[in-house]
Amino acid sequence: MGEFDLIKRYFMDPALQRKQAGVDLGIGDDCALLAPAPGMQLAISSDMLVEGRHFLSTVNPEALGHKALAVNLSDLAACGAKPVAFTLALSMPRVDEAWLEGFSRGLFALADEHSCTLIGGDTTAGPLNICITVFGHVPTGQALLRSSAKAGDDIYVSGLPGQARLALEVFRGNISLSESDFALTRSRMERPTPRVALGQALRGIASSAIDVSDGLLGDLGHILKASSVGAEIDLYAIDSIAARAISMPAAGQFDSKFLREMVLAGGDDYELVFTAPTEHSEAVQTAAQMSHTQVTCIGQTSSEPGLRLREADGHIAPNSFASFDHFKS
Ligand code: ADP
Ligand code: MG
């Protein structure tokens, strides 16, 4: 099958070529044409998934299609942007139709859910590598940035970070989980939910936001640095996330240090970490309810630089939780 037949068969779903607000021209010409509505800024982000680095060759292609787009939509969510369109640059060793069929099914299921149209890309032979660029709309000046947290803001995280990492520990043979906990955590790792509705609902409420790809503390650290503030994290809140991440009897077989590490340093969850002034705490809960996403307050920012972990009795525990860095590991 030639390159163009391949694009037509797997990436030009006629249903998705429908007219979408903000997209004047999709696949087929040299460029796609986007037309942001007046008063909107275009939010743009790219993420690349490389075989052997971000996923294994054995991963289900449908889950991979989902994840490749999900990690990109997560960046739009972290900016409070509404998804509009995306491009797909794909290199693969050979044309494997079963793989392409599964991959495009997973990709388009999530694209459809968010009315995000595939408007172009590039296809070439090479090692399996998937690069997606997403385009979204955000009202001018309202994007959630990393740089605008203020000392004294509350710090929140969505969902149950740590679940993806727990599944990874099972795959690595380090721990075992019950069948149902493994199924749950594995689906968080392989099919993360980008918090797109929550991100948009937090516009005008959150003071800063980031999505968690490399670990909660590490990614929160980017907010702290960009905003020139420090933070205190409440370990009882972290323990409460761990207790909800897997079922209680299972949680009981791990020590609390291990579970804290899963929550604080485990990556790949694509949850949102954000800050909000205390007077917005009710608005945060409303945004969470409206977007059907649980959020947990895990601490406060402070004018004292650095990040401190606070035990329930108030004493400060050492921070030994490292997050993931592609060039360090
Ligand atoms: P060019 O050579 O001008 O870059 P291509 O031959 O690479 O164009 O692509 C032809 C059309 O197909 C373009 O509109 C391009 O955006 C689109 N396209 C190529 N690969 C993909 C893909 N993997 N997914 C979606 N659209 C694609
Ligand atoms: Mg090309």
Side-chain angles (χ1 to χ4, degrees), residues 92-111:
M92 56 196 162
R94 63 200 166 82
V95 176
D96 176 341
E97 296 214 38
W99 187 91
L100 280 161
E101 198 276 319
F103 178 81
S104 68
R105 188 155 24 89
L107 183 80
F108 283 120
L110 186 64

Side-chain angles (χ1 to χ4, degrees), residues 99-251:
W99 187 91
L100 280 161
E101 198 276 319
F103 178 81
S104 68
R105 188 155 24 89
L107 183 80
F108 283 120
L110 186 64
D112 249 353
E113 205 181 298
H114 294 281
S115 304
C116 192
T117 312
L118 181 59
I119 54 166
D122 200 19
T123 309
T124 172
L128 187 54
N129 190 328
I130 303 154
C131 183
I132 289 181
T133 300
V134 279
F135 303 84
H137 285 169
V138 62
T140 301
Q142 289 187 33
L144 302 174
L145 305 180
R146 299 177 180 188
S147 53
S148 38
K150 298 274 178 293
D153 285 349
D154 291 320
I155 303 170
Y156 296 87
V157 67
S158 67
L160 299 170
Q163 287 184 320
R165 173 67 182 276
L166 280 160
L168 183 64
E169 293 297 319
V170 175
F171 279 112
R172 284 174 172 168
N174 293 340
I175 61 168
S176 59
L177 290 175
S178 69
E179 209 174 301
S180 61
D181 277 336
F182 180 53
L184 172 73
T185 56
R186 181 181 184 174
S187 84
R188 301 312 304 154
M189 180 177 88
E190 292 182 346
R191 306 180 59 87
T193 307
R195 302 302 185 185
V196 172
L198 177 65
Q200 290 173 75
L202 288 172
R203 289 197 305 242
I205 295 168
S207 51
S208 71
I210 190 170
D211 65 322
V212 180
S213 52
D214 297 336
L216 174 47
L217 289 188
D219 287 318
L220 172 62
H222 295 305
I223 288 185
L224 302 182
K225 191 157 182 243
S227 299
S228 303
V229 293
E232 268 98 51
I233 299 297
D234 289 317
L235 287 168
Y236 74 80
I238 300 307
D239 293 342
S240 97
I241 290 173
R244 284 174 278 149
I246 43 180
S247 53
M248 283 314 277

Side-chain angles (χ1 to χ4, degrees), residues 3-4 30 121-123:
E3 183 186 331
F4 299 107
D30 295 311
D122 200 19
T123 309

